[in-house]
């Protein structure tokens, strides 16, 4: 479904992505891990061109996203959900309206259909009773679950999540991970998640991609990557798991 080929990105003189290559198949949950600053966010943001790469290909359902014009890109993004580390909710809108706003381009849906989609998305993240709240009246974990519901509302074939639990209080991390785990259990959904949560990655990933210094240095199922690593980064994760 997604093929990333020879992705390059520099900021000024500094090369951040140095030829990133990987595939994601329909229905897979793929987790990207690696040390801070190695280029994980840059990679995942390049996929729907929140960051413009300098070179490479992003083949999504057979079409190179890097060759799309702005209108075509906006259309493609309707099929690719993105969840940010810092939620990106709109403070002056209720939870309900934050999600409705994501549906404004879905002109095949009636207002009643849209309302039903919002309700359904909120139920999927266990926030069915929170429609009328404002973001300021939610905990960090609840805010992130609203952001996940907003991404789900578009029924995207691919969801990209960049450290969805990184800005949360440790006690709130598990409620978001539980919601994500239930989402990954849906076989039709394809997810690409950047996270530092080892246990979560071990449980839910079909495949782990380890990144180091602008490249994918190792990939495989969690048992292989964490227990029989070949890369330096893989060996560091292996030590962490042993100490655990
Ligand atoms: N807009 C930017 N301008 C200049 N440098 C940037 C920009 N965005 C990222 N970088 C640099 O690119 C490198 C990779 O950043 P990136 O955010 O992709 O890392 P990461 O792997 O997601 O790290 P973390 O785990 O800390 O989130 C870092 O050295 C960062 O400082
Ligand atoms: Mg990052």
């Amino acid at each position: 479904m997604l093929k990333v080929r020879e992705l390059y990105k520099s900021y000024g003189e500094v090369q951040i992505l140095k030829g990133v290559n990987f595939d994601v198949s329909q229905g897979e949950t793929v987790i990207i891990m690696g040390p801070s600053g190695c280029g994980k966010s840059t990679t995942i943001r390049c996929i729907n061109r929140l960051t413009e790469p300098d070179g490479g290909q992003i083949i999504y359902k057979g079409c190179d996203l890097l060759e799309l014009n702005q209108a075509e890109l906006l259309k493609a993004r309707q099929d690719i959900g993105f969840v940010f580390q810092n939620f990106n909710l709109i403070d002056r809108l209720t939870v309900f309206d934050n999600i409705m706003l994501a549906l404004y381009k879905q002109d095949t849906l009636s207002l009643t259909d849209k309302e039903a989609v919002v309700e359904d998305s909120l139920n999927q993240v266990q926030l069915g009773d929170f429609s009328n709240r404002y973001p300021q009246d939610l905990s960090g974990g609840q805010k992130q679950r609203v952001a996940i519901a907003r991404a789900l509302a578009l029924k995207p074939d691919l969801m990209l999540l960049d450290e969805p639990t990184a800005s949360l209080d440790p006690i709130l991390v598990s409620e978001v991970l539980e919601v994500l785990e239930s989402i990954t259990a849906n076989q039709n959904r394809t997810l690409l998640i950047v996270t530092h949560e080892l246990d979560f990655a071990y449980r839910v990933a079909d495949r782990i991609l380890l990144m180091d210094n602008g490249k994918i240095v190792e990939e495989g199922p969690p048992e292989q990557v964490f227990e029989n690593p070949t890369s330096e980064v893989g060996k560091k994760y292996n030590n962490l798991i042993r100490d655990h």
Side-chain angles (χ1 to χ4, degrees):
M1 153 187 260
L2 175 70
K3 294 180 198 296
V4 174
R5 292 289 176 271
E6 291 300 311
L7 205 58
Y8 282 85
K9 176 72 182 174
S10 297
Y11 285 112
E13 298 287 289
V14 189
Q15 198 175 40
I16 306 297
L17 301 185
K18 304 175 180 176
V20 173
N21 292 286
F22 64 90
D23 291 1
V24 179
S25 305
Q26 175 88 42
E28 253 194 321
T29 299
V30 175
I31 292 195
I32 306 183
M33 302 185 88
S36 187
C38 72
K40 304 180 298 297
S41 296
T42 308
T43 300
I44 199 169
R45 291 173 62 86
C46 280
I47 291 173
N48 67 355
R49 292 172 57 188
L50 292 171
T51 295
E52 286 287 350
D54 299 333
Q57 292 181 308
I58 311 277
I59 315 285
Y60 180 64
K61 295 183 177 175
C63 157
D64 188 350
L65 297 183
L66 300 183
E67 291 183 351
L68 301 183
N69 66 31
Q70 194 61 26
E72 293 165 335
L73 176 63
L74 290 178
K75 191 153 185 288
R77 279 188 189 154
Q78 297 280 305
D79 195 34
I80 305 177
F82 200 101
V83 175
F84 299 86
Q85 180 176 331
N86 58 356
F87 329 129
N88 280 13
L89 298 178
I90 297 174
D91 289 336
R92 64 188 164 75
L93 296 182
T94 61
V95 163
F96 191 89
D97 288 340
N98 263 280
I99 302 175
M100 271 303 250
L101 187 63
L103 294 171
Y104 80 106
K105 279 209 171 135
Q106 309 262 304
D107 36 23
T108 55
L109 295 179
S110 68
L111 183 60
T112 322
D113 290 341
K114 287 184 183 179
E115 286 169 352
V117 169
V118 175
E119 294 292 347
D120 180 50
S121 311
L122 282 171
N123 286 333
Q124 286 186 63
V125 299
Q126 274 111 50
L127 288 177
D129 298 331
F130 286 67
S131 292
N132 296 322
R133 296 259 197 123
Y134 285 87
Q136 70 199 31
D137 304 324
L138 300 176
S139 71
Q142 290 164 343
K143 282 185 201 169
Q144 190 57 299
R145 282 151 62 198
V146 173
I148 293 168
R150 178 178 57 185
L152 287 171
L154 288 169
K155 302 192 173 29
D157 274 353
L158 173 65
M159 275 178 78
L160 308 172
L161 299 99
D162 187 8
E163 296 206 41
T165 58
S167 41
L168 300 178
D169 182 323
I171 347 174
L172 300 177
V173 168
S174 62
E175 68 181 51
V176 172
L177 293 182
E178 273 167 31
V179 160
L180 287 177
E181 197 163 344
S182 72
I183 290 169
T184 61
N186 178 334
Q187 298 295 321
N188 293 322
R189 206 158 260 139
T190 313
L191 293 110
L192 182 61
I193 309 174
V194 175
T195 181
H196 291 287
E197 297 288 339
L198 264 176
D199 291 341
F200 171 74
Y202 214 112
R203 273 203 310 279
V204 309
D206 295 310
R207 210 143 44 83
I208 306 275
L209 306 177
L210 292 187
M211 233 183 140
D212 196 12
N213 195 18
K215 286 192 160 193
I216 306 291
V217 292
E218 181 158 7
E219 66 173 274
E223 310 79 52
Q224 177 191 321
V225 165
F226 291 140
E227 283 165 31
N228 290 302
T230 53
S231 63
E232 286 309 308
V233 188
K235 287 174 186 162
K236 285 182 189 155
Y237 282 116
N238 178 260
N239 287 336
L240 280 177
I241 282 176
R242 280 161 189 275
D243 294 345
H244 207 53

